[in-house]
Amino acid sequence: MSQKVAVLGTGKIGEALLSGMIRAGWAPSDLLVTARRPERAEELRARHGVTPVTNAEAAKTADTLILTVKPQDMGTLLDELAPHVPADRLIISGAAGIPTSFFEERLAAGTPVVRVMTNTPALVDEAMSVISAGTHATAGHLTHAEEIFGAVGKTLRVPESQQDACTALSGSGPAYFFYLVEAMTDAGILLGLPRDKAHELIVQSAIGAAVMLRDSGEHPVKLRENVTSPAGTTINAIRELENHGVRAALIAALEAARDRSRELASGNN
């Protein structure tokens, strides 16, 4: 893999991506990084053998630029990059809510842009990365983005019109599960279990349930029914979840996340 790839604004997710790419076969000498703080850049060099550069140097040198700065900082970064980015560079954006048109309007005409929404399980190589093409991105560009993000998990192509919904489901999704585990741990303590034991019980149950969902081929309703005996403990718990409107609350929460993603796209920060 001889193409040079630069990760701009390398935070935790950007570093996870670098680490995954190296494990997948990218040579560290082909990977460039930028960071706001010089000490952070040197830390990345020492840890991964990658080359720290300025944003302008990355734009001139790399074949692919992966922009991982926060959405509110993206306009400033593009202003800095625009004079230096040739139209044949592939731009990959990891910023929530920002459409590919935002980049296309600020860069040279014809610049290919791919939008990617990944999530924090990239830190453990279990990311869900959703990939969409901009106006000038080809199938080859999408394949290249899949090769990069496939190093830290699974990828899925969707039309860009579905990106806000994907942000709500998978981009923010890990937080919902962490929230649920937190609540279940508190319940375990209320029921008389020590926190560490409650946590271990719930986390392993979550891992087992996730693997069953992924590997069994069964619908989640069927899997739930398999646990739900007539007049048993599980159906009583499910009744309480329904009585308290948990399903409706989840739907409303995801709609709120989608709407916020749309607000970010429209510039209402």
Side-chain angles (χ1 to χ4, degrees), residues 50 72 79 187 264:
V50 297
Q72 60 267 32
D79 288 343
L264 290 171

Side-chain angles (χ1 to χ4, degrees), residues 7-164:
V7 180
L8 280 66
T10 313
K12 288 184 178 180
I13 295 294
E15 184 175 4
L17 191 57
L18 284 172
S19 178
M21 291 171 69
I22 292 169
R23 289 193 302 276
W26 266 266
S29 58
D30 287 332
L31 300 177
L32 312 177
V33 296
T34 76
R36 182 170 295 180
R37 296 179 292 108
E39 58 269 29
R40 170 62 174 164
E42 287 305 314
E43 180 183 276
L44 292 166
R45 184 207 298 270
R47 188 175 294 157
H48 303 290
V50 297
T51 304
V53 293
T54 66
N55 290 329
E57 288 170 339
K60 295 173 185 176
T61 307
D63 302 288
T64 300
L65 303 177
I66 305 174
L67 313 186
T68 63
V69 301
K70 295 177 180 177
Q72 60 267 32
D73 297 329
M74 193 61 78
T76 301
L77 176 61
L78 289 176
D79 288 343
E80 183 180 353
L81 293 177
H84 308 290
V85 179
D88 62 349
R89 296 291 191 264
L90 171 60
I91 305 297
I92 299 178
S93 166
I98 301 184
T100 55
S101 59
F102 182 89
F103 300 87
E104 293 165 351
E105 291 165 1
R106 289 162 174 78
L107 298 173
T111 300
V113 181
V114 172
R115 178 176 171 182
V116 180
M117 182 70 249
T118 192
N119 57 17
T120 57
L123 298 169
V124 293
D125 292 347
E126 291 291 350
M128 182 68 252
S129 300
V130 184
I131 298 174
S132 301
T135 304
H136 310 293
T138 66
H141 293 131
L142 289 174
T143 298
H144 186 49
E146 287 174 333
E147 290 172 351
I148 292 172
F149 283 86
V152 293
K154 188 173 181 179
T155 64
L156 179 70
R157 294 188 193 184
V158 301
E160 189 171 11
S161 61
Q162 296 176 1
Q163 274 279 356
D164 292 323

